[in-house]
Amino acid sequence: MFFGTAFLISGLGFSQQIKFEEYDLPNGLHVILHQDNAAPVVTTGVMYHVGSKDEVKGRSGFAHFFEHLLFEGTPNIKRGDWFKIVSAHGGQNNANTTQDRTYYYETFPSNNEQLGLWMEAERMRHAVVNQIGVDTQREVVKEEKRTRMDNAPYGGISYYTAINPHVFNKHPYSGSVIGSMEDLNAAQLEEFRAFYKKYYVPNNATLVVAGDIKPEQTKKWIEQYYGGIPKGNVIPKKFPKEDPIVQEKEVTEIDNNIQLPAYIFAYRTPGSKEKDTYILSMISAYLNGGKSSVLNKKLIDEEKKALDVGAENNAMEDYGVFRIYVIPMGQTTKKTLQTDIDTEIKKLQTALITQEDYEMLQNMIENQFVNYNSSIEGITASLATNHVLRGDTNLINKAIDIYKSITRQDLQDAAKKYLNSNQRVIINYVPEKK
């Protein structure tokens, strides 16, 4: 048995449907509304279908840069006032960027729902992109890069910057989300304005309004604030396809912020629309879904060979990366750890996991699913993500059934299909030699 505790969630109502309605404005903006009057809060989220993979060579970091730049203000929101307005009206807000999309949201008491809708419409209609904002946010992004990546131990693993360049040869997933400071420094103001004009348009965006709303009133505000924003010229995305990895490759990455090495075993996997993505996520949970999971129990608790170990299937829109990483304890060698990890993968490939482990795995997945969709902010993000990146908003309800449909045989088949040694890249993530 690989989990120490079975998650008892039958009383949490994971089977309850999350109701929503969706429609398009004439300008192409996709709108999703979810009414939940249990608490007097409303989250307004806008997801733009633009991420780091959309950047041109030599101008990396633009998508993430705009995550910061578009808080600079608009003709009707003075520079420096965005966060003040949100805070003064009892709200909170944030934004984040991935390889595939950029997402902004505000959560307000429901009596300020209209304010959230207006602010996001302001951002979409006419955000101010000027030199003082660009110069200011360049420094903010530089500091973020220094803090989270350059000076953070194992930052290259956490943010995949030491992994993706070795897994992808053709697809722009090889680049990092935060990008190159040299590229951002070299970019001219007109290039930033062109990026905004190209991607921050209603027909490249999805608006989600969730919480304590009156749908008919919300629709009127949406038409009032967003209906007149002109659509842009959205070009269909076309990215190069990767050739299969057919031979194991080994590379070295240096991190001068660490004392102990880490070893990463990375496999290229399908994108987030494929069912195999769900299966691989279950495999990662089986291997490393808690302190009592297979790799933790074996390498950390029982045999004291590792200080840390992790497994994750990072599913992006076009491809995914399944990674296993391990930090050795004491004099444990890479060869020993690699043998132990390969042994556990081989077990998955050659025998079905036990029925007891399978049931506990299902319980854990269901528990995670419920927890993620237990808040209005989580539901808002799920609705947007499922529409923009997976092409089916109703996956917020159907995904749990996909997980339930996965059999022990499916787990074995996926391990045999994707997790073979000739399909991986080994990254030796080591400290700088003194």
Side-chain angles (χ1 to χ4, degrees):
M1 183 171 69
F2 70 96
F3 293 115
T5 304
F7 293 93
L8 302 177
I9 64 168
S10 57
L12 296 178
F14 66 85
S15 62
Q16 291 180 358
Q17 295 286 296
I18 293 174
K19 296 180 180 179
F20 62 90
E21 62 174 304
E22 55 187 336
Y23 62 95
D24 290 327
L25 294 184
N27 60 10
L29 178 68
H30 190 73
V31 178
I32 305 171
L33 304 180
H34 166 66
Q35 183 179 9
D36 181 349
N37 304 117
V41 295
V42 174
T43 296
T44 299
V46 180
M47 185 171 287
Y48 294 89
H49 199 181
V50 55
S52 60
K53 74 178 182 187
D54 298 289
E55 297 158 355
V56 299
K57 190 174 182 179
R59 289 296 180 264
S60 64
F62 266 49
H64 171 258
F65 189 74
F66 268 78
E67 174 198 319
H68 294 265
L69 185 64
L70 293 195
F71 285 100
E72 281 285 314
T74 75
N76 298 310
I77 301 175
K78 292 181 181 179
R79 183 169 183 267
D81 278 1
W82 191 287
F83 297 101
K84 294 178 184 177
I85 292 171
V86 172
S87 179
H89 290 83
Q92 59 183 19
N93 66 296
N94 213 330
N96 51 70
T97 311
T98 71
Q99 292 89 346
D100 301 306
R101 93 295 182 274
T102 309
Y103 180 58
Y104 305 83
Y105 68 91
E106 285 82 28
T107 299
F108 281 110
S110 51
N111 61 345
N112 283 319
E113 174 193 352
Q114 185 178 6
L115 176 61
L117 285 165
W118 174 77
M119 293 183 78
E120 285 302 331
E122 283 285 296
R123 195 197 310 269
M124 185 184 296
R125 181 185 295 275
H126 47 204
V128 171
V129 181
N130 58 20
Q131 196 62 54
I132 187 171
V134 167
D135 292 342
T136 300
Q137 296 306 324
R138 274 190 182 125
E139 296 308 310
V140 172
V141 171
K142 286 178 186 177
E143 181 58 28
E144 180 182 356
K145 185 174 184 292
R146 283 191 291 266
T147 302
R148 295 189 178 183
M149 292 174 57
D150 297 344
N151 299 327
Y154 305 102
I157 300 177
S158 301
Y159 291 92
Y160 282 81
T161 55
I163 301 173
N164 284 9
H166 305 296
V167 176
F168 298 101
N169 299 312
K170 299 178 180 180
H171 195 284
Y173 283 156
S174 59
S176 72
V177 172
I178 203 163
S180 156
M181 295 304 101
E182 290 76 16
D183 288 352
L184 290 176
N185 286 335
Q188 301 300 305
L189 179 60
E190 287 309 311
E191 294 178 88
F192 291 107
R193 288 175 171 166
F195 190 90
Y196 175 72
K197 183 178 180 181
K198 182 176 182 179
Y199 291 110
Y200 280 80
V201 292
N203 47 324
N204 195 47
T206 292
L207 166 68
V208 183
V209 190
D212 185 23
I213 66 173
K214 297 177 180 178
E216 294 310 311
Q217 176 61 72
T218 300
K219 290 176 184 178
K220 291 177 183 178
W221 284 330
I222 290 172
E223 176 59 36
Q224 176 184 349
Y225 296 132
Y226 297 85
I229 302 175
K231 68 164 52 180
N233 180 26
V234 176
I235 300 171
K237 297 174 185 284
K238 189 175 182 180
F239 299 102
K241 303 290 186 182
E242 289 284 347
D243 298 321
I245 299 173
V246 295
Q247 185 174 356
E248 185 177 80
K249 180 173 71 171
E250 189 162 352
V251 298
T252 297
E253 289 277 347
I254 297 173
D255 185 339
N256 58 16
N257 298 302
I258 63 175
Q259 303 296 318
L260 297 171
Y263 306 111
I264 305 111
F265 306 89
Y267 309 77
R268 191 190 308 136
T269 53
S272 58
K273 293 179 182 178
E274 304 295 327
K275 182 179 178 180
D276 282 355
T277 289
Y278 297 84
I279 301 172
L280 288 159
S281 292
M282 289 187 73
I283 290 176
S284 71
Y286 174 79
L287 292 173
N288 186 239
K291 290 185 177 180
S292 297
S293 58
V294 169
L295 292 179
N296 278 72
K297 188 174 181 181
K298 177 182 177 66
L299 297 179
I300 296 178
D301 294 341
E302 294 179 351
E303 300 182 5
K304 313 294 184 189
K305 293 178 179 177
L307 283 173
D308 192 19
V309 63
E312 177 187 38
N313 186 54
N314 180 28
M316 298 168 283
E317 186 175 17
D318 302 333
Y319 291 101
V321 176
F322 189 103
R323 69 161 193 196
I324 300 171
Y325 75 88
V326 60
I327 299 174
M329 170 80 84
Q331 300 302 310
T332 308
T333 65
K334 179 189 128 186
K335 183 178 180 180
T336 296
L337 293 168
Q338 183 173 330
T339 299
D340 287 340
I341 289 169
D342 285 348
T343 297
E344 295 305 322
I345 293 175
K346 183 60 69 175
K347 288 179 184 178
L348 278 170
Q349 294 173 330
T350 55
L352 300 180
I353 68 172
T354 68
Q355 182 65 28
E356 184 180 19
D357 284 353
Y358 171 75
E359 291 172 1
M360 287 189 167
L361 181 60
Q362 285 281 358
N363 283 339
M364 190 189 75
I365 293 292
E366 290 172 0
N367 187 65
Q368 291 174 344
F369 186 84
V370 170
N371 286 340
Y372 188 77
N373 292 314
S374 63
S375 70
I376 290 299
E377 286 184 0
I379 290 171
T380 304
S382 287
L383 289 167
T385 299
N386 287 328
H387 172 72
V388 174
L389 301 185
R390 297 172 188 143
D392 185 357
T393 311
N394 199 37
L395 281 169
I396 196 167
N397 294 310
K398 296 191 300 185
I400 195 66
D401 293 324
I402 296 175
Y403 280 117
K404 284 182 179 181
S405 73
I406 294 169
T407 65
R408 293 186 293 158
Q409 186 65 57
D410 289 332
L411 298 175
Q412 182 182 17
D413 291 344
K416 290 164 67 174
K417 184 175 182 179
Y418 298 108
L419 304 183
N420 298 299
S421 60
N422 67 306
Q423 295 171 294
R424 71 185 175 194
V425 180
I426 300 174
I427 300 106
N428 300 313
Y429 195 81
V430 299
E432 188 174 28
K433 290 183 178 180
K434 303 299 183 182

